[in-house]
Amino acid sequence: MTHEHSRRAVLGGVAGAGAVAGLTALAPSAVADEQPFQGRQARPFEGKIVQITGATSGIGEATAKAFAAAGAKVAFCGRRRNLGREVERAIRESGGEATYTHADVRDPRSVQRFVDGAVRRYGGLDIAFNNAGIQYSARLHETTLEQWDDLMDTNARGVFLAMKYQIPHLIDAGGGQVIVNSSVGAVVGRPELSLYQASKQAVQALVQSAALEYGGHGIRVNAILPGITDTPMIRPPELDDATWEQAKVALGQLNVDGLKTVATPDQIAQAVLAMAAPGFGYLTGVSLPVDGGVAAGRRMLLPER
Ligand SMILES: NC(=O)c1ccc[n+]([C@@H]2O[C@H](COP(=O)([O-])OP(=O)(O)OC[C@H]3O[C@@H](n4cnc5c(N)ncnc54)[C@H](OP(=O)(O)O)[C@@H]3O)[C@@H](O)[C@H]2O)c1
């Protein structure tokens, strides 16, 4: 239900066969300069302790794998146990360190268990990536109260709860970082996504104020604002791989003003690692669009005053 609603909004009919076929011809070649983030060393996060909410799929999974490959110990959560264990196994099989914990970010006790348990297991916390989220698509007046509550409880309250339990550990450690996965939806409107955009603007506000509140403790708090990213959140399950590849081209062409392509989860993961890197030690309170140009395009459309 959740995924179904979200996909409808993003695809918005553009994935129809005709539209897809016409636009495929316009596909630009892939962005060429993609290298995993390394900073100045091969494993810039060696020994760092990372927590990620919602890493059973999509951006969270890619970020867990990228942090582990860069030397971090990664504790992550999500509700789907089979996927959580699979991600944990994949990371360990490639020589990384990760631990999956079943947790639901809507539930305070569950979040506290995840956060405190991960701190006990790895002996601290350096970087938190609060990523878990869902999307519903519906016109505002047709949205149910249950949908509003579920989305806000996951996307906004879930981030609040994670920060509430993580920050004391970061204060005790004398500093650290929180990165929240917001969305470019926090800064642009889109029909049938009013709840989602509202939830993402809420977490941006949390980030800005928390950055001021905890800067004196050496804690940096930032948000990343991904654009449309190829994850289960937006992929219609009924599409086969070939059709989905074509649909993504159409999505990029129609909805991304700059690079004209949707993002891969790895591209967003690498941006998270870059934000978390020691070289960005003066970056705090920022909401960084990593969106192929969506936000820039919308800004240019604002009427002149
Ligand atoms: N894909 C995009 O175009 C896009 C663009 C901008 C921002 N984002 C944001 O990126 C984040 C990750 O989404 P995604 O695109 O990677 O989609 P995804 O593959 O559906 O990942 C969502 C993750 O959040 C977890 N999650 C959802 N509800 C949860 C809950 N109550 N408790 C714990 N974990 C929960 C899911 O795990 P379980 O289902 O196993 O619990 C899953 O691991 C979200 O915050 C989303 O809003 C996505």
mmCIF file of all heavy atoms in Angstrom, residues 2-3 14 16 57-58 66 73 99-100 111 118 128 132 138 140 162 181 199 218 240 242 245 256 262 278 284 286:
data_model
loop_
_atom_site.group_PDB
_atom_site.id
_atom_site.type_symbol
_atom_site.label_atom_id
_atom_site.label_comp_id
_atom_site.label_asym_id
_atom_site.label_seq_id
_atom_site.Cartn_x
_atom_site.Cartn_y
_atom_site.Cartn_z
ATOM 1 N N THR A 2 1.807 1.287 0.944
ATOM 2 C CA THR A 2 2.694 2.440 1.038
ATOM 3 C C THR A 2 3.474 2.651 -0.250
ATOM 4 O O THR A 2 3.461 3.722 -0.842
ATOM 5 C CB THR A 2 3.701 2.209 2.173
ATOM 6 O OG1 THR A 2 2.958 2.052 3.356
ATOM 7 C CG2 THR A 2 4.625 3.379 2.325
ATOM 8 N N HIS A 3 4.143 1.606 -0.684
ATOM 9 C CA HIS A 3 4.960 1.723 -1.873
ATOM 10 C C HIS A 3 4.098 2.012 -3.089
ATOM 11 O O HIS A 3 4.468 2.792 -3.947
ATOM 12 C CB HIS A 3 5.772 0.453 -2.075
ATOM 13 C CG HIS A 3 6.973 0.401 -1.174
ATOM 14 N ND1 HIS A 3 7.679 -0.749 -0.960
ATOM 15 C CD2 HIS A 3 7.584 1.347 -0.440
ATOM 16 C CE1 HIS A 3 8.684 -0.500 -0.135
ATOM 17 N NE2 HIS A 3 8.634 0.765 0.194
ATOM 18 N N VAL A 14 3.879 8.882 -16.471
ATOM 19 C CA VAL A 14 4.898 9.042 -17.497
ATOM 20 C C VAL A 14 5.509 7.716 -17.902
ATOM 21 O O VAL A 14 6.165 7.632 -18.922
ATOM 22 C CB VAL A 14 6.044 9.981 -17.066
ATOM 23 C CG1 VAL A 14 5.503 11.345 -16.740
ATOM 24 C CG2 VAL A 14 6.833 9.407 -15.925
ATOM 25 N N GLY A 16 4.062 5.243 -19.014
ATOM 26 C CA GLY A 16 3.308 4.586 -20.075
ATOM 27 C C GLY A 16 4.241 4.246 -21.234
ATOM 28 O O GLY A 16 5.196 4.969 -21.493
ATOM 29 N N SER A 57 16.786 -1.765 2.720
ATOM 30 C CA SER A 57 16.725 -1.628 1.258
ATOM 31 C C SER A 57 17.108 -0.198 0.880
ATOM 32 O O SER A 57 17.343 0.650 1.738
ATOM 33 C CB SER A 57 15.308 -1.951 0.729
ATOM 34 O OG SER A 57 14.357 -1.037 1.237
ATOM 35 N N GLY A 58 17.204 0.033 -0.420
ATOM 36 C CA GLY A 58 17.329 1.385 -0.963
ATOM 37 C C GLY A 58 18.556 2.169 -0.523
ATOM 38 O O GLY A 58 19.668 1.638 -0.435
ATOM 39 N N ALA A 66 28.353 1.230 1.912
ATOM 40 C CA ALA A 66 29.433 2.179 1.596
ATOM 41 C C ALA A 66 30.234 2.526 2.852
ATOM 42 O O ALA A 66 31.473 2.577 2.811
ATOM 43 C CB ALA A 66 28.840 3.447 0.972
ATOM 44 N N LYS A 73 32.124 0.564 11.434
ATOM 45 C CA LYS A 73 31.273 -0.483 12.010
ATOM 46 C C LYS A 73 29.850 0.057 11.949
ATOM 47 O O LYS A 73 29.590 1.138 12.495
ATOM 48 C CB LYS A 73 31.663 -0.756 13.457
ATOM 49 C CG LYS A 73 33.086 -1.264 13.596
ATOM 50 C CD LYS A 73 33.462 -1.320 15.066
ATOM 51 C CE LYS A 73 34.959 -1.484 15.206
ATOM 52 N NZ LYS A 73 35.437 -1.190 16.548
ATOM 53 N N THR A 99 25.820 -4.871 11.998
ATOM 54 C CA THR A 99 24.857 -5.613 12.814
ATOM 55 C C THR A 99 23.459 -5.091 12.530
ATOM 56 O O THR A 99 23.206 -3.883 12.611
ATOM 57 C CB THR A 99 25.141 -5.420 14.320
ATOM 58 O OG1 THR A 99 26.468 -5.857 14.588
ATOM 59 C CG2 THR A 99 24.166 -6.220 15.168
ATOM 60 N N TYR A 100 22.575 -6.019 12.195
ATOM 61 C CA TYR A 100 21.171 -5.673 11.981
ATOM 62 C C TYR A 100 20.385 -5.880 13.271
ATOM 63 O O TYR A 100 20.561 -6.889 13.962
ATOM 64 C CB TYR A 100 20.569 -6.554 10.881
ATOM 65 C CG TYR A 100 19.055 -6.518 10.874
ATOM 66 C CD1 TYR A 100 18.378 -5.367 10.499
ATOM 67 C CD2 TYR A 100 18.302 -7.627 11.275
ATOM 68 C CE1 TYR A 100 16.981 -5.318 10.511
ATOM 69 C CE2 TYR A 100 16.912 -7.591 11.287
ATOM 70 C CZ TYR A 100 16.257 -6.429 10.898
ATOM 71 O OH TYR A 100 14.890 -6.379 10.922
ATOM 72 N N VAL A 111 13.155 2.147 19.257
ATOM 73 C CA VAL A 111 14.256 3.018 18.810
ATOM 74 C C VAL A 111 15.331 3.083 19.894
ATOM 75 O O VAL A 111 16.530 2.970 19.616
ATOM 76 C CB VAL A 111 13.742 4.439 18.479
ATOM 77 C CG1 VAL A 111 14.901 5.337 18.055
ATOM 78 C CG2 VAL A 111 12.697 4.391 17.371
ATOM 79 N N ALA A 118 23.167 -0.681 20.038
ATOM 80 C CA ALA A 118 24.267 -0.498 19.078
ATOM 81 C C ALA A 118 25.460 0.168 19.757
ATOM 82 O O ALA A 118 26.614 -0.193 19.499
ATOM 83 C CB ALA A 118 23.783 0.333 17.902
ATOM 84 N N ALA A 128 25.363 9.228 12.946
ATOM 85 C CA ALA A 128 24.025 8.650 12.794
ATOM 86 C C ALA A 128 23.437 9.113 11.469
ATOM 87 O O ALA A 128 23.451 10.319 11.176
ATOM 88 C CB ALA A 128 23.138 9.104 13.947
ATOM 89 N N ALA A 132 15.218 6.206 7.735
ATOM 90 C CA ALA A 132 13.974 5.449 7.531
ATOM 91 C C ALA A 132 12.846 6.377 7.113
ATOM 92 O O ALA A 132 12.659 7.453 7.699
ATOM 93 C CB ALA A 132 13.594 4.704 8.810
ATOM 94 N N ALA A 138 -1.558 10.838 -2.288
ATOM 95 C CA ALA A 138 -3.010 10.989 -2.357
ATOM 96 C C ALA A 138 -3.304 12.474 -2.345
ATOM 97 O O ALA A 138 -2.513 13.266 -1.822
ATOM 98 C CB ALA A 138 -3.682 10.330 -1.159
ATOM 99 N N LEU A 140 -4.812 15.783 -0.975
ATOM 100 C CA LEU A 140 -4.870 16.117 0.453
ATOM 101 C C LEU A 140 -6.223 15.767 1.072
ATOM 102 O O LEU A 140 -6.292 15.137 2.133
ATOM 103 C CB LEU A 140 -4.549 17.603 0.636
ATOM 104 C CG LEU A 140 -4.335 18.060 2.067
ATOM 105 C CD1 LEU A 140 -3.302 19.179 2.107
ATOM 106 C CD2 LEU A 140 -5.621 18.560 2.710
ATOM 107 N N ALA A 162 14.981 9.008 17.042
ATOM 108 C CA ALA A 162 16.369 8.573 16.861
ATOM 109 C C ALA A 162 17.319 9.626 17.430
ATOM 110 O O ALA A 162 18.242 9.318 18.190
ATOM 111 C CB ALA A 162 16.648 8.311 15.383
ATOM 112 N N ASN A 181 17.971 11.980 6.458
ATOM 113 C CA ASN A 181 17.537 11.888 5.069
ATOM 114 C C ASN A 181 16.194 12.592 4.936
ATOM 115 O O ASN A 181 15.150 12.065 5.295
ATOM 116 C CB ASN A 181 17.426 10.431 4.618
ATOM 117 C CG ASN A 181 17.399 10.334 3.106
ATOM 118 O OD1 ASN A 181 17.213 11.341 2.410
ATOM 119 N ND2 ASN A 181 17.588 9.141 2.590
ATOM 120 N N SER A 199 6.255 16.285 5.890
ATOM 121 C CA SER A 199 7.078 15.517 6.846
ATOM 122 C C SER A 199 8.560 15.813 6.635
ATOM 123 O O SER A 199 9.343 15.867 7.584
ATOM 124 C CB SER A 199 6.807 14.017 6.702
ATOM 125 O OG SER A 199 7.385 13.490 5.522
ATOM 126 N N GLY A 218 30.172 20.012 19.863
ATOM 127 C CA GLY A 218 30.946 19.407 18.773
ATOM 128 C C GLY A 218 30.117 18.471 17.906
ATOM 129 O O GLY A 218 30.657 17.605 17.214
ATOM 130 N N ASP A 240 8.901 -5.249 -15.193
ATOM 131 C CA ASP A 240 10.113 -6.055 -15.314
ATOM 132 C C ASP A 240 11.316 -5.117 -15.437
ATOM 133 O O ASP A 240 11.164 -3.901 -15.621
ATOM 134 C CB ASP A 240 10.017 -7.025 -16.497
ATOM 135 C CG ASP A 240 9.807 -6.285 -17.812
ATOM 136 O OD1 ASP A 240 10.552 -5.336 -18.092
ATOM 137 O OD2 ASP A 240 8.866 -6.652 -18.556
ATOM 138 N N ALA A 242 13.616 -4.532 -17.704
ATOM 139 C CA ALA A 242 13.822 -3.760 -18.940
ATOM 140 C C ALA A 242 12.858 -2.571 -18.992
ATOM 141 O O ALA A 242 13.250 -1.439 -19.322
ATOM 142 C CB ALA A 242 13.625 -4.664 -20.147
ATOM 143 N N GLU A 245 13.953 0.084 -16.550
ATOM 144 C CA GLU A 245 15.084 0.878 -17.052
ATOM 145 C C GLU A 245 14.566 1.984 -17.963
ATOM 146 O O GLU A 245 15.014 3.130 -17.896
ATOM 147 C CB GLU A 245 16.089 -0.014 -17.805
ATOM 148 C CG GLU A 245 16.919 -0.923 -16.899
ATOM 149 C CD GLU A 245 17.639 -0.180 -15.766
ATOM 150 O OE1 GLU A 245 18.247 0.863 -16.045
ATOM 151 O OE2 GLU A 245 17.571 -0.626 -14.608
ATOM 152 N N VAL A 256 13.653 15.791 -13.762
ATOM 153 C CA VAL A 256 14.930 16.305 -13.242
ATOM 154 C C VAL A 256 15.442 17.362 -14.218
ATOM 155 O O VAL A 256 15.854 17.050 -15.336
ATOM 156 C CB VAL A 256 15.973 15.177 -13.069
ATOM 157 C CG1 VAL A 256 17.249 15.732 -12.450
ATOM 158 C CG2 VAL A 256 15.411 14.053 -12.209
ATOM 159 N N VAL A 262 17.456 9.939 -12.983
ATOM 160 C CA VAL A 262 17.208 9.693 -11.563
ATOM 161 C C VAL A 262 18.523 9.248 -10.937
ATOM 162 O O VAL A 262 19.444 8.808 -11.635
ATOM 163 C CB VAL A 262 16.100 8.638 -11.343
ATOM 164 C CG1 VAL A 262 14.838 9.013 -12.110
ATOM 165 C CG2 VAL A 262 16.544 7.246 -11.718
ATOM 166 N N PRO A 278 35.628 13.856 7.680
ATOM 167 C CA PRO A 278 36.316 14.806 8.555
ATOM 168 C C PRO A 278 36.614 16.125 7.843
ATOM 169 O O PRO A 278 36.589 17.187 8.445
ATOM 170 C CB PRO A 278 37.630 14.092 8.900
ATOM 171 C CG PRO A 278 37.418 12.663 8.552
ATOM 172 C CD PRO A 278 36.333 12.569 7.553
ATOM 173 N N THR A 284 27.517 22.467 9.176
ATOM 174 C CA THR A 284 26.421 22.097 10.086
ATOM 175 C C THR A 284 25.184 22.952 9.817
ATOM 176 O O THR A 284 25.286 24.072 9.315
ATOM 177 C CB THR A 284 26.849 22.198 11.564
ATOM 178 O OG1 THR A 284 25.941 21.412 12.354
ATOM 179 C CG2 THR A 284 26.875 23.633 12.091
ATOM 180 N N VAL A 286 22.976 22.409 7.631
ATOM 181 C CA VAL A 286 22.778 22.550 6.187
ATOM 182 C C VAL A 286 21.794 21.509 5.673
ATOM 183 O O VAL A 286 21.772 20.381 6.143
ATOM 184 C CB VAL A 286 24.158 22.364 5.500
ATOM 185 C CG1 VAL A 286 24.024 22.000 4.044
ATOM 186 C CG2 VAL A 286 24.992 23.622 5.680
#
